Amino acid sequence: MAETADETLKVEITGSLALVTLARPKALNALTQHMRTKLSERLWAAARDPQVYAVAIQSESPRAFSSGSDVREVIGLARAEMEAGLKTFADEYSLNWQCECFSKPTVPLINGMVMGGGVGISQYGTHRVAGEGYSFAMPETLIGLFPDVGVCHVFARLPDHVGIYLGLTGRSIGRADAYALGLVTHCIDQAEFEAIKAALADTWPVDTVLDERHKDPGEGALLPYRELIDRCFSAPSVEEIVARLEAVQGVHRDWAGELVANLRHRSPLALKVTHRHIRDSKARDLRETLRADYRIATRFLEANGDFYEGVRAALIDKDGAPRWTPARLEDVTDAMVAAYFAPLGARDLALPTREDMQKARA
């Protein structure tokens, strides 16, 4: 049977639990404009429903919670009508802010990969549960974009410059590293997810339900590299980060070399924009970061450059051979980067304050 829009995101009320199911498994739950709109509507409804105690978000796919936003849809909409493409970004960042301001317990049950837009609908929940197959990544620089959905606000606050490492390289981490970094609040195997939902439907306190099932995931795979990451990714420029990685000797030389090859395959413009965005976001709150996201995303979409080329190479033609402009880090000037952060004037994204969001819920 052909997939219909209404089938890609399902919502049911069970007792005191509003259960949201991402149901686009063939596309690894890549979020469409319809899915974001429906999720926003259901969150408003749940906020106003006195019967709803908590919201849980789960996936039908055994492989992914969500592989991110459907960037092919964004590109297609922008090519047909630029305003329609820009609206997808505006709506997505507004939804991320809505998730942050949502006043009831939210419990994403994450197993499999969570990337991009999937991070945006799960990272700002009051609780974040990682199953044994959890894998986090923000790989946007590979498609000529930048880590958006407000995540640079999160990356800027991670220790040892791990946020800059994750944002530039797009490398994935498992639940042990995510727990150590605070990206998830609990590590609970997927076999327990049904019991969690049943308890929340019966209005059991969320902390009790999750705390008694949490298992220490042990040391993360990044731990042996944390000092090296801090030394290299604290550099003031992307060029210097690459130079420091190239200078690594000893036991971690091969690992550092793999990172250099990884970075050289990504959009130089996207890398430099990402580097500045994460560093700048340390002084921004989430709302301000999302507003900056929209400015940057608008420039990437309107430029008809690396974002389109990255999507073509990775997701459409799948040749893995993007032709970036500029092609070298050295050719991306500070002025080029600064242009992506300039205010949009009347077109800037308008996000209500947290207080206004709370009033709108009433």
Side-chain angles (χ1 to χ4, degrees), residues 43-83:
L43 285 176
W44 281 118
R48 292 167 176 150
D49 187 345
Q51 180 181 330
V52 172
Y53 162 62
V55 174
I57 307 177
Q58 65 178 2
S59 166
E60 265 190 8
S61 169
R63 296 175 55 198
F65 177 80
S66 172
S67 61
S69 296
D70 191 334
V71 291
R72 283 176 292 190
E73 178 188 60
V74 175
I75 294 292
L77 288 170
R79 289 197 185 281
E81 182 185 355
M82 181 57 66
E83 288 305 311

Side-chain angles (χ1 to χ4, degrees), residues 222-243:
L222 276 186
L223 186 62
Y225 305 103
R226 288 280 288 269
E227 183 179 347
L228 176 62
I229 289 171
D230 191 30
R231 184 168 76 249
C232 294
F233 285 84
S234 61
S237 69
V238 181
E239 291 96 328
E240 179 63 20
I241 289 172
V242 172

Side-chain angles (χ1 to χ4, degrees), residues 78-100:
R79 289 197 185 281
E81 182 185 355
M82 181 57 66
E83 288 305 311
L86 292 173
K87 187 177 185 299
T88 64
F89 284 125
D91 289 352
E92 179 165 30
Y93 305 154
S94 296
L95 174 60
N96 303 148
W97 182 234
Q98 183 182 359
C99 290
E100 164 68 14

Side-chain angles (χ1 to χ4, degrees), residues 130-135 173-180 184 187-189 215 217:
E132 65 274 22
Y134 174 99
S135 175
I173 57 173
R175 70 174 178 177
D177 282 310
Y179 181 69
V184 299
C187 297
I188 303 172
D189 288 352
K215 294 181 179 178

